[in-house]
Amino acid sequence: MTIYVGNLSYRASEADLKEVFADYGEVKRVVLPTDRETGRLRGFAFVEMSEDAQEDAAITELDGAEWMGRQLRVNKAKPREESQRSSWGKKQDY
């Protein structure tokens, strides 16, 4: 499972997120997406932890918590859906 962390401060770093989530267990990976054109953080992140129980505890405790002046949205990440753009140019079977 992967955790989605939304409404992040644009000042948040990977190290900051690892520190916060480490209170709930071992953090395997943190991803902070950036805008392709500006390189600026997009205000959300994905966090993976070593055990589902740790992720569940982090979601329960951190969803709605205030951090760096923002109220976090923390929940299970939804699988990425294939967008219309990614199917552009592909042969369609009708």
Side-chain angles (χ1 to χ4, degrees):
M1 175 174 70
T2 300
I3 300 171
Y4 166 82
V5 184
N7 201 32
L8 274 180
S9 166
Y10 293 105
R11 300 178 326 221
S13 70
E14 185 177 325
D16 292 331
L17 284 163
K18 281 184 178 180
E19 183 178 328
V20 168
F21 280 85
D23 287 344
Y24 304 96
E26 180 187 348
V27 178
K28 288 173 43 176
R29 187 169 87 139
V30 173
V31 177
L32 278 163
T34 56
D35 184 89
R36 287 184 206 155
E37 294 177 17
T38 65
R40 183 178 173 198
L41 293 175
R42 296 182 64 195
F44 64 92
F46 297 99
V47 177
E48 290 181 29
M49 300 183 76
S50 59
E51 296 181 22
D52 286 349
Q54 296 170 349
E55 291 179 341
D56 290 337
I59 289 168
T60 300
E61 293 294 320
L62 295 174
D63 186 38
E66 188 172 321
W67 187 60
M68 291 188 166
R70 309 286 297 260
Q71 187 174 5
L72 297 178
R73 286 192 319 255
V74 183
N75 52 47
K76 292 180 182 183
K78 296 177 181 158
R80 189 175 191 173
E81 293 180 11
E82 192 168 329
S83 69
Q84 293 289 358
R85 275 193 235 166
S86 65
S87 63
W88 184 80
K90 291 182 181 176
K91 184 179 176 183
Q92 298 289 327
D93 291 329
Y94 292 101

